Amino acid sequence: MTLTPADAPGTRLTPADLRLAADLAVAALRPARDADWSVPAGGLEWDCWETAEHLIDDLFSYAAKLAAERTGSNVPYRRTTGSPGGPDNAVHVERAAGPEGMLAAFEAAAAIMHAVVSVKPPEARAYHVYGDSDPEGFIAMSVVEILVHTHDLTTGLGLAAWEPPADLCARALYRLFPHVPGGADPWPTLLWATGRGDLAGRERLAEWRWYGAPR
């Protein structure tokens, strides 16, 4: 069983959903502002600091590509890793700024992305490795990145279990994961679709992807 038009949520994703996801993530992570962010982020190979930087870099990169409406390839920013095996980012956060600085950098990146998608017309297109996408697609990508990496971070930092709104998860799933099974709760399904959890009757995914082409 896969998601079909009958499974379509009542509304499409909007810039307000990106803002909501970012606000919820900051609220979930702020209790860890004095924690050690060098611990592994959930089941990832990266630590929490690297994972948060990766998330910030995603939002910045999406905003840059969509602002320029660049298709076919990434905007050629110089990308570097902070450590062997770490994420390859154009954006890095000063470690001396600590978790408070990281959260400030995240809020700034989310605000920039929100500003860009708020002014782009539906026909705008920009590059992604999984296919050129439209503003709603980039909102969905941003929302998924925020939700699943906040899960990674809250898990790694030992915070309270993170469960974002089901409606937000359902709309992101419908937009980017039309191939996933329908009928289950949206949040566990999103975790399964991104290789982070189990789903009844389905094998756990070792590899996964989304489909950002306009729907």
Short mmCIF file of all heavy atoms in Angstrom, two decimals, residues 19-76:
data_model
loop_
_atom_site.label_atom_id
_atom_site.label_comp_id
_atom_site.label_asym_id
_atom_site.label_seq_id
_atom_site.Cartn_x
_atom_site.Cartn_y
_atom_site.Cartn_z
N ARG A 19 7.98 27.68 9.69
CA ARG A 19 8.16 28.46 10.91
C ARG A 19 7.74 27.65 12.13
O ARG A 19 8.42 27.67 13.17
CB ARG A 19 7.30 29.73 10.80
CG ARG A 19 7.42 30.72 11.93
CD ARG A 19 8.76 31.42 11.94
NE ARG A 19 9.74 30.75 12.75
CZ ARG A 19 11.05 30.95 12.65
NH1 ARG A 19 11.53 31.80 11.77
NH2 ARG A 19 11.89 30.30 13.44
N LEU A 20 6.63 26.93 12.02
CA LEU A 20 6.16 26.11 13.13
C LEU A 20 7.18 25.03 13.48
O LEU A 20 7.51 24.83 14.66
CB LEU A 20 4.83 25.47 12.77
CG LEU A 20 4.28 24.43 13.76
CD1 LEU A 20 4.02 25.07 15.12
CD2 LEU A 20 3.03 23.77 13.20
N ALA A 21 7.68 24.32 12.47
CA ALA A 21 8.66 23.25 12.72
C ALA A 21 9.89 23.80 13.41
O ALA A 21 10.41 23.20 14.37
CB ALA A 21 9.04 22.58 11.40
N ALA A 22 10.37 24.96 12.96
CA ALA A 22 11.57 25.55 13.56
C ALA A 22 11.31 25.96 15.00
O ALA A 22 12.14 25.73 15.89
CB ALA A 22 12.02 26.74 12.73
N ASP A 23 10.17 26.58 15.27
CA ASP A 23 9.85 27.01 16.63
C ASP A 23 9.74 25.81 17.57
O ASP A 23 10.22 25.85 18.72
CB ASP A 23 8.54 27.80 16.64
CG ASP A 23 8.68 29.19 16.01
OD1 ASP A 23 9.82 29.64 15.81
OD2 ASP A 23 7.63 29.80 15.72
N LEU A 24 9.10 24.74 17.10
CA LEU A 24 8.96 23.54 17.93
C LEU A 24 10.31 22.91 18.21
O LEU A 24 10.57 22.41 19.32
CB LEU A 24 8.03 22.54 17.26
CG LEU A 24 6.56 22.95 17.15
CD1 LEU A 24 5.80 21.95 16.28
CD2 LEU A 24 5.92 23.04 18.53
N ALA A 25 11.19 22.92 17.20
CA ALA A 25 12.52 22.34 17.38
C ALA A 25 13.32 23.11 18.42
O ALA A 25 13.97 22.51 19.29
CB ALA A 25 13.26 22.32 16.04
N VAL A 26 13.30 24.43 18.34
CA VAL A 26 14.03 25.25 19.32
C VAL A 26 13.50 25.00 20.72
O VAL A 26 14.27 24.85 21.68
CB VAL A 26 13.95 26.73 18.94
CG1 VAL A 26 14.50 27.61 20.07
CG2 VAL A 26 14.73 27.00 17.66
N ALA A 27 12.17 24.93 20.86
CA ALA A 27 11.59 24.68 22.18
C ALA A 27 12.02 23.32 22.73
O ALA A 27 12.27 23.18 23.93
CB ALA A 27 10.06 24.76 22.09
N ALA A 28 12.13 22.33 21.84
CA ALA A 28 12.53 20.99 22.28
C ALA A 28 14.00 20.93 22.67
O ALA A 28 14.39 20.20 23.58
CB ALA A 28 12.24 19.97 21.18
N LEU A 29 14.84 21.71 21.97
CA LEU A 29 16.28 21.63 22.17
C LEU A 29 16.81 22.60 23.22
O LEU A 29 17.90 22.40 23.76
CB LEU A 29 17.00 21.89 20.84
CG LEU A 29 16.79 20.81 19.77
CD1 LEU A 29 17.33 21.29 18.43
CD2 LEU A 29 17.45 19.51 20.17
N ARG A 30 16.07 23.65 23.52
CA ARG A 30 16.59 24.65 24.46
C ARG A 30 16.94 24.08 25.83
O ARG A 30 17.91 24.53 26.46
CB ARG A 30 15.60 25.81 24.59
CG ARG A 30 16.24 27.05 25.22
CD ARG A 30 15.40 28.29 25.07
NE ARG A 30 15.25 28.74 23.70
CZ ARG A 30 16.20 29.35 23.00
NH1 ARG A 30 17.38 29.56 23.54
NH2 ARG A 30 15.96 29.75 21.77
N PRO A 31 16.23 23.07 26.34
CA PRO A 31 16.64 22.50 27.64
C PRO A 31 18.04 21.89 27.63
O PRO A 31 18.60 21.66 28.72
CB PRO A 31 15.57 21.43 27.90
CG PRO A 31 14.37 21.91 27.16
CD PRO A 31 14.92 22.54 25.91
N ALA A 32 18.60 21.67 26.44
CA ALA A 32 19.95 21.07 26.36
C ALA A 32 21.02 22.12 26.11
O ALA A 32 22.13 21.79 25.68
CB ALA A 32 19.99 20.02 25.25
N ARG A 33 20.72 23.38 26.42
CA ARG A 33 21.70 24.43 26.12
C ARG A 33 22.96 24.31 26.98
O ARG A 33 24.00 24.90 26.64
CB ARG A 33 21.08 25.82 26.27
CG ARG A 33 20.50 26.12 27.63
CD ARG A 33 19.76 27.46 27.59
NE ARG A 33 19.14 27.79 28.86
CZ ARG A 33 17.92 27.37 29.23
NH1 ARG A 33 17.22 26.60 28.43
NH2 ARG A 33 17.41 27.72 30.39
N ASP A 34 22.90 23.56 28.08
CA ASP A 34 24.08 23.36 28.91
C ASP A 34 24.64 21.94 28.79
O ASP A 34 25.54 21.55 29.53
CB ASP A 34 23.75 23.63 30.39
CG ASP A 34 23.35 25.08 30.63
OD1 ASP A 34 23.97 25.97 30.00
OD2 ASP A 34 22.43 25.31 31.42
N ALA A 35 24.12 21.17 27.84
CA ALA A 35 24.52 19.77 27.68
C ALA A 35 25.78 19.65 26.83
O ALA A 35 26.25 20.61 26.21
CB ALA A 35 23.38 18.97 27.06
N ASP A 36 26.32 18.45 26.80
CA ASP A 36 27.47 18.11 25.97
C ASP A 36 26.97 17.69 24.60
O ASP A 36 26.40 16.60 24.45
CB ASP A 36 28.26 16.99 26.63
CG ASP A 36 29.45 16.53 25.79
OD1 ASP A 36 29.76 17.20 24.77
OD2 ASP A 36 30.05 15.50 26.14
N TRP A 37 27.19 18.52 23.58
CA TRP A 37 26.70 18.23 22.23
C TRP A 37 27.72 17.44 21.40
O TRP A 37 27.55 17.28 20.20
CB TRP A 37 26.33 19.53 21.52
CG TRP A 37 25.06 20.15 22.02
CD1 TRP A 37 24.70 20.35 23.32
CD2 TRP A 37 23.97 20.63 21.24
NE1 TRP A 37 23.46 20.93 23.40
CE2 TRP A 37 22.98 21.13 22.15
CE3 TRP A 37 23.72 20.72 19.87
CZ2 TRP A 37 21.78 21.68 21.71
CZ3 TRP A 37 22.52 21.28 19.43
CH2 TRP A 37 21.56 21.75 20.35
N SER A 38 28.74 16.90 22.07
CA SER A 38 29.70 16.06 21.36
C SER A 38 29.31 14.59 21.39
O SER A 38 30.02 13.74 20.85
CB SER A 38 31.10 16.23 21.96
OG SER A 38 31.16 15.72 23.28
N VAL A 39 28.16 14.27 22.00
CA VAL A 39 27.69 12.89 22.05
C VAL A 39 27.02 12.53 20.72
O VAL A 39 26.56 13.41 20.00
CB VAL A 39 26.70 12.68 23.21
CG1 VAL A 39 27.39 12.94 24.55
CG2 VAL A 39 25.47 13.58 23.06
N PRO A 40 26.96 11.24 20.37
CA PRO A 40 26.32 10.85 19.11
C PRO A 40 24.86 11.30 19.05
O PRO A 40 24.15 11.31 20.06
CB PRO A 40 26.42 9.32 19.12
CG PRO A 40 27.58 9.03 20.01
CD PRO A 40 27.55 10.09 21.08
N ALA A 41 24.43 11.66 17.85
CA ALA A 41 23.05 12.11 17.63
C ALA A 41 22.18 10.91 17.28
O ALA A 41 22.09 10.51 16.11
CB ALA A 41 23.00 13.15 16.53
N GLY A 42 21.55 10.32 18.26
CA GLY A 42 20.68 9.17 18.01
C GLY A 42 21.45 8.05 17.33
O GLY A 42 22.53 7.65 17.77
N GLY A 43 20.91 7.57 16.23
CA GLY A 43 21.56 6.49 15.49
C GLY A 43 22.51 6.95 14.42
O GLY A 43 23.00 6.13 13.62
N LEU A 44 22.82 8.25 14.36
CA LEU A 44 23.72 8.76 13.33
C LEU A 44 25.18 8.56 13.71
O LEU A 44 25.53 8.40 14.88
CB LEU A 44 23.47 10.26 13.10
CG LEU A 44 22.06 10.68 12.70
CD1 LEU A 44 22.04 12.19 12.40
CD2 LEU A 44 21.56 9.91 11.49
N GLU A 45 26.05 8.61 12.70
CA GLU A 45 27.49 8.56 12.95
C GLU A 45 28.01 9.92 13.43
O GLU A 45 29.06 10.01 14.05
CB GLU A 45 28.23 8.12 11.69
CG GLU A 45 27.92 6.70 11.25
CD GLU A 45 28.67 6.31 9.99
OE1 GLU A 45 29.44 7.14 9.46
OE2 GLU A 45 28.49 5.15 9.54
N TRP A 46 27.28 10.99 13.11
CA TRP A 46 27.68 12.33 13.53
C TRP A 46 27.31 12.58 14.98
O TRP A 46 26.38 11.98 15.52
CB TRP A 46 26.98 13.38 12.67
CG TRP A 46 27.25 13.29 11.21
CD1 TRP A 46 28.37 12.78 10.60
CD2 TRP A 46 26.38 13.71 10.16
NE1 TRP A 46 28.25 12.87 9.24
CE2 TRP A 46 27.05 13.44 8.94
CE3 TRP A 46 25.12 14.30 10.13
CZ2 TRP A 46 26.48 13.74 7.69
CZ3 TRP A 46 24.55 14.60 8.90
CH2 TRP A 46 25.22 14.33 7.71
N ASP A 47 28.06 13.52 15.62
CA ASP A 47 27.66 13.91 16.96
C ASP A 47 26.58 15.00 16.86
O ASP A 47 26.19 15.43 15.76
CB ASP A 47 28.86 14.35 17.79
CG ASP A 47 29.54 15.62 17.31
OD1 ASP A 47 28.88 16.47 16.67
OD2 ASP A 47 30.75 15.78 17.58
N CYS A 48 26.07 15.42 18.01
CA CYS A 48 24.95 16.36 18.01
C CYS A 48 25.34 17.72 17.41
O CYS A 48 24.55 18.35 16.71
CB CYS A 48 24.40 16.52 19.43
SG CYS A 48 23.52 15.07 20.03
N TRP A 49 26.56 18.16 17.70
CA TRP A 49 27.00 19.45 17.13
C TRP A 49 27.04 19.37 15.61
O TRP A 49 26.53 20.25 14.91
CB TRP A 49 28.38 19.81 17.67
CG TRP A 49 28.83 21.18 17.27
CD1 TRP A 49 29.51 21.53 16.13
CD2 TRP A 49 28.60 22.40 17.98
NE1 TRP A 49 29.73 22.88 16.09
CE2 TRP A 49 29.19 23.45 17.21
CE3 TRP A 49 27.99 22.71 19.19
CZ2 TRP A 49 29.14 24.77 17.62
CZ3 TRP A 49 27.95 24.05 19.59
CH2 TRP A 49 28.53 25.06 18.81
N GLU A 50 27.64 18.31 15.07
CA GLU A 50 27.73 18.15 13.62
C GLU A 50 26.35 18.02 12.98
O GLU A 50 26.10 18.56 11.90
CB GLU A 50 28.57 16.91 13.29
CG GLU A 50 30.03 17.04 13.66
CD GLU A 50 30.77 15.72 13.56
OE1 GLU A 50 30.15 14.65 13.79
OE2 GLU A 50 31.98 15.75 13.26
N THR A 51 25.45 17.32 13.66
CA THR A 51 24.10 17.14 13.12
C THR A 51 23.36 18.46 13.06
O THR A 51 22.68 18.78 12.07
CB THR A 51 23.33 16.12 13.98
OG1 THR A 51 24.03 14.88 13.97
CG2 THR A 51 21.92 15.92 13.46
N ALA A 52 23.49 19.27 14.11
CA ALA A 52 22.84 20.58 14.11
C ALA A 52 23.44 21.48 13.03
O ALA A 52 22.71 22.21 12.35
CB ALA A 52 22.97 21.23 15.48
N GLU A 53 24.75 21.44 12.86
CA GLU A 53 25.38 22.22 11.78
C GLU A 53 24.87 21.77 10.42
O GLU A 53 24.63 22.60 9.53
CB GLU A 53 26.90 22.06 11.83
CG GLU A 53 27.61 23.01 12.76
CD GLU A 53 29.10 23.03 12.54
OE1 GLU A 53 29.68 22.01 12.09
OE2 GLU A 53 29.72 24.07 12.83
N HIS A 54 24.74 20.46 10.23
CA HIS A 54 24.22 19.93 8.97
C HIS A 54 22.82 20.46 8.70
O HIS A 54 22.49 20.85 7.57
CB HIS A 54 24.22 18.40 9.02
CG HIS A 54 23.35 17.75 8.00
ND1 HIS A 54 23.72 17.62 6.68
CD2 HIS A 54 22.10 17.20 8.09
CE1 HIS A 54 22.76 17.01 6.01
NE2 HIS A 54 21.77 16.76 6.85
N LEU A 55 21.97 20.48 9.73
CA LEU A 55 20.62 21.00 9.57
C LEU A 55 20.64 22.48 9.17
O LEU A 55 19.91 22.90 8.26
CB LEU A 55 19.85 20.80 10.88
CG LEU A 55 18.46 21.42 10.97
CD1 LEU A 55 17.57 20.95 9.83
CD2 LEU A 55 17.83 21.09 12.33
N ILE A 56 21.45 23.26 9.83
CA ILE A 56 21.58 24.67 9.49
C ILE A 56 22.06 24.84 8.06
O ILE A 56 21.54 25.67 7.29
CB ILE A 56 22.53 25.38 10.48
CG1 ILE A 56 21.90 25.44 11.86
CG2 ILE A 56 22.92 26.77 9.99
CD1 ILE A 56 22.87 25.82 12.97
N ASP A 57 23.04 24.04 7.68
CA ASP A 57 23.58 24.11 6.33
C ASP A 57 22.51 23.75 5.29
O ASP A 57 22.43 24.38 4.22
CB ASP A 57 24.78 23.18 6.20
CG ASP A 57 25.47 23.31 4.86
OD1 ASP A 57 26.22 24.30 4.67
OD2 ASP A 57 25.27 22.43 3.99
N ASP A 58 21.69 22.76 5.59
CA ASP A 58 20.59 22.40 4.68
C ASP A 58 19.68 23.60 4.45
O ASP A 58 19.33 23.93 3.30
CB ASP A 58 19.77 21.25 5.26
CG ASP A 58 20.40 19.89 5.00
OD1 ASP A 58 21.23 19.78 4.08
OD2 ASP A 58 20.04 18.94 5.72
N LEU A 59 19.23 24.23 5.52
CA LEU A 59 18.31 25.36 5.39
C LEU A 59 18.94 26.51 4.61
O LEU A 59 18.31 27.12 3.74
CB LEU A 59 17.86 25.83 6.77
CG LEU A 59 17.06 24.82 7.59
CD1 LEU A 59 16.81 25.35 9.00
CD2 LEU A 59 15.74 24.48 6.92
N PHE A 60 20.22 26.81 4.92
CA PHE A 60 20.91 27.86 4.20
C PHE A 60 21.03 27.52 2.72
O PHE A 60 20.78 28.36 1.84
CB PHE A 60 22.30 28.07 4.80
CG PHE A 60 23.19 28.97 3.98
CD1 PHE A 60 23.06 30.35 4.05
CD2 PHE A 60 24.13 28.44 3.12
CE1 PHE A 60 23.87 31.18 3.28
CE2 PHE A 60 24.94 29.25 2.35
CZ PHE A 60 24.81 30.63 2.43
N SER A 61 21.41 26.28 2.42
CA SER A 61 21.61 25.87 1.03
C SER A 61 20.30 25.89 0.26
O SER A 61 20.26 26.32 -0.90
CB SER A 61 22.23 24.48 0.98
OG SER A 61 23.51 24.47 1.58
N TYR A 62 19.22 25.42 0.88
CA TYR A 62 17.92 25.46 0.20
C TYR A 62 17.53 26.91 -0.11
O TYR A 62 17.05 27.22 -1.20
CB TYR A 62 16.84 24.83 1.09
CG TYR A 62 16.95 23.35 1.31
CD1 TYR A 62 16.20 22.74 2.32
CD2 TYR A 62 17.79 22.54 0.55
CE1 TYR A 62 16.28 21.37 2.55
CE2 TYR A 62 17.87 21.18 0.78
CZ TYR A 62 17.12 20.60 1.78
OH TYR A 62 17.19 19.26 2.01
N ALA A 63 17.74 27.80 0.86
CA ALA A 63 17.39 29.20 0.66
C ALA A 63 18.20 29.81 -0.47
O ALA A 63 17.67 30.55 -1.32
CB ALA A 63 17.60 29.98 1.95
N ALA A 64 19.50 29.51 -0.51
CA ALA A 64 20.37 30.07 -1.55
C ALA A 64 19.95 29.60 -2.93
O ALA A 64 19.86 30.39 -3.89
CB ALA A 64 21.82 29.70 -1.27
N LYS A 65 19.71 28.30 -3.07
CA LYS A 65 19.33 27.76 -4.38
C LYS A 65 17.99 28.31 -4.84
O LYS A 65 17.82 28.69 -6.01
CB LYS A 65 19.27 26.23 -4.32
CG LYS A 65 20.63 25.58 -4.20
CD LYS A 65 20.56 24.07 -4.25
CE LYS A 65 20.05 23.49 -2.96
NZ LYS A 65 20.25 22.02 -2.90
N LEU A 66 17.03 28.36 -3.93
CA LEU A 66 15.70 28.85 -4.32
C LEU A 66 15.72 30.34 -4.57
O LEU A 66 15.03 30.83 -5.48
CB LEU A 66 14.69 28.48 -3.23
CG LEU A 66 13.22 28.68 -3.58
CD1 LEU A 66 12.83 27.89 -4.83
CD2 LEU A 66 12.34 28.26 -2.40
N ALA A 67 16.49 31.10 -3.80
CA ALA A 67 16.59 32.54 -4.03
C ALA A 67 17.11 32.84 -5.43
O ALA A 67 16.62 33.74 -6.12
CB ALA A 67 17.50 33.18 -2.99
N ALA A 68 18.11 32.05 -5.85
CA ALA A 68 18.70 32.25 -7.18
C ALA A 68 17.93 31.52 -8.28
O ALA A 68 18.22 31.72 -9.46
CB ALA A 68 20.15 31.75 -7.16
N GLU A 69 16.98 30.66 -7.87
CA GLU A 69 16.27 29.77 -8.81
C GLU A 69 17.28 29.04 -9.70
O GLU A 69 17.14 28.93 -10.91
CB GLU A 69 15.24 30.55 -9.64
CG GLU A 69 14.13 31.14 -8.79
CD GLU A 69 12.99 31.73 -9.58
OE1 GLU A 69 12.70 31.24 -10.69
OE2 GLU A 69 12.38 32.71 -9.09
N ARG A 70 18.30 28.52 -9.03
CA ARG A 70 19.37 27.80 -9.73
C ARG A 70 18.96 26.34 -9.91
O ARG A 70 18.67 25.64 -8.94
CB ARG A 70 20.67 27.87 -8.94
CG ARG A 70 21.86 27.20 -9.64
CD ARG A 70 23.10 27.27 -8.77
NE ARG A 70 24.25 26.60 -9.37
CZ ARG A 70 25.15 27.20 -10.15
NH1 ARG A 70 25.02 28.47 -10.43
NH2 ARG A 70 26.16 26.51 -10.64
N THR A 71 18.93 25.88 -11.16
CA THR A 71 18.61 24.50 -11.47
C THR A 71 19.83 23.80 -12.05
O THR A 71 20.75 24.44 -12.55
CB THR A 71 17.44 24.41 -12.47
OG1 THR A 71 17.79 25.12 -13.67
CG2 THR A 71 16.17 25.02 -11.89
N GLY A 72 19.84 22.48 -11.96
CA GLY A 72 20.91 21.70 -12.58
C GLY A 72 22.09 21.42 -11.69
O GLY A 72 22.77 20.40 -11.87
N SER A 73 22.39 22.29 -10.74
CA SER A 73 23.53 22.07 -9.85
C SER A 73 23.42 22.98 -8.64
O SER A 73 22.66 23.96 -8.65
CB SER A 73 24.87 22.34 -10.57
OG SER A 73 24.98 23.70 -10.92
N ASN A 74 24.21 22.65 -7.61
CA ASN A 74 24.23 23.46 -6.40
C ASN A 74 24.86 24.83 -6.66
O ASN A 74 25.66 25.00 -7.59
CB ASN A 74 25.04 22.76 -5.31
CG ASN A 74 24.24 21.71 -4.57
OD1 ASN A 74 23.09 21.95 -4.20
ND2 ASN A 74 24.83 20.55 -4.34
N VAL A 75 24.53 25.79 -5.81
CA VAL A 75 25.29 27.04 -5.77
C VAL A 75 26.70 26.68 -5.28
O VAL A 75 26.84 25.98 -4.28
CB VAL A 75 24.62 28.06 -4.83
CG1 VAL A 75 25.43 29.35 -4.78
CG2 VAL A 75 23.18 28.34 -5.27
N PRO A 76 27.75 27.13 -5.98
CA PRO A 76 29.10 26.60 -5.70
C PRO A 76 29.80 27.24 -4.50
O PRO A 76 30.90 27.79 -4.60
CB PRO A 76 29.85 26.88 -6.99
CG PRO A 76 29.21 28.11 -7.54
CD PRO A 76 27.74 27.97 -7.20
#
